[in-house]
Amino acid sequence: QVQLVESGGGLVQAGGSLRLSCAASGRTFRRDTMGWFRQAPGKEREFVAAISWSGGNTYYADSAKGRFTISRDNAKNTVYLQMNSLKPEDTAVYYCAADYRSYGDYDSEMVRNLRGLYAYWGQGTQVTVSS
């Protein structure tokens, strides 16, 4: 059974940091693109960041650029999201996702990311940033 389990969420003050983790199990994900998404109350789910299977390519939403860093450890089947300089508008449930397809070029990968075309999803972890 394929599972993605997020952890590391919590309550933090504005300007603080959190590191989210996503542990994958059920099969190896070392060839998958891994992504992070979030959904705030009353809003649609949105793309945050993604990383290619090798870690050589990363993709970020404009809201995450310069503040968030995605990374992965294929030996541990785990992907991370380091979030710095957090803002109240970052408050959301954060979801991990995995997809085995590779589109090859940046624009096609971003289409996949922005459309959320991922095969596997975790249950989410709550991040709350207080002002």
Side-chain angles (χ1 to χ4, degrees):
Q1 180 182 0
V2 172
Q3 272 195 317
L4 301 176
V5 180
E6 303 93 338
S7 62
L11 174 64
V12 64
Q13 287 189 329
S17 298
L18 281 175
R19 188 195 195 203
L20 305 183
S21 298
C22 171
S25 62
R27 66 169 179 81
T28 181
F29 283 83
R30 63 188 63 189
R31 303 293 294 187
D32 285 47
T33 295
M34 304 292 291
W36 285 97
F37 293 76
R38 67 187 183 187
Q39 187 167 19
K43 295 188 177 181
E44 293 186 353
R45 184 185 63 198
E46 64 176 3
F47 167 70
V48 177
I51 187 167
S52 63
W53 69 270
S54 67
N57 294 304
T58 55
Y59 311 87
Y60 293 95
D62 288 343
S63 59
K65 288 178 182 176
R67 299 189 301 127
F68 295 1
T69 302
I70 189 170
S71 61
R72 67 190 296 163
D73 184 339
N74 284 341
K76 296 182 179 179
N77 248 10
T78 301
V79 63
Y80 306 97
L81 184 68
Q82 177 67 43
M83 303 187 296
N84 299 328
S85 302
L86 283 162
K87 306 173 182 180
E89 50 263 45
D90 294 317
T91 295
V93 177
Y94 282 70
Y95 297 92
C96 173
D99 194 75
Y100 50 87
R101 291 164 291 194
S102 177
Y103 294 93
D105 63 273
Y106 178 86
D107 288 345
S108 298
E109 291 287 350
M110 281 305 295
V111 168
R112 181 251 298 277
N113 293 330
L114 293 175
R115 292 182 179 178
L117 299 177
Y118 280 71
Y120 304 104
W121 293 85
Q123 293 300 307
T125 185
Q126 176 70 46
V127 171
T128 303
V129 184
S130 64
S131 56

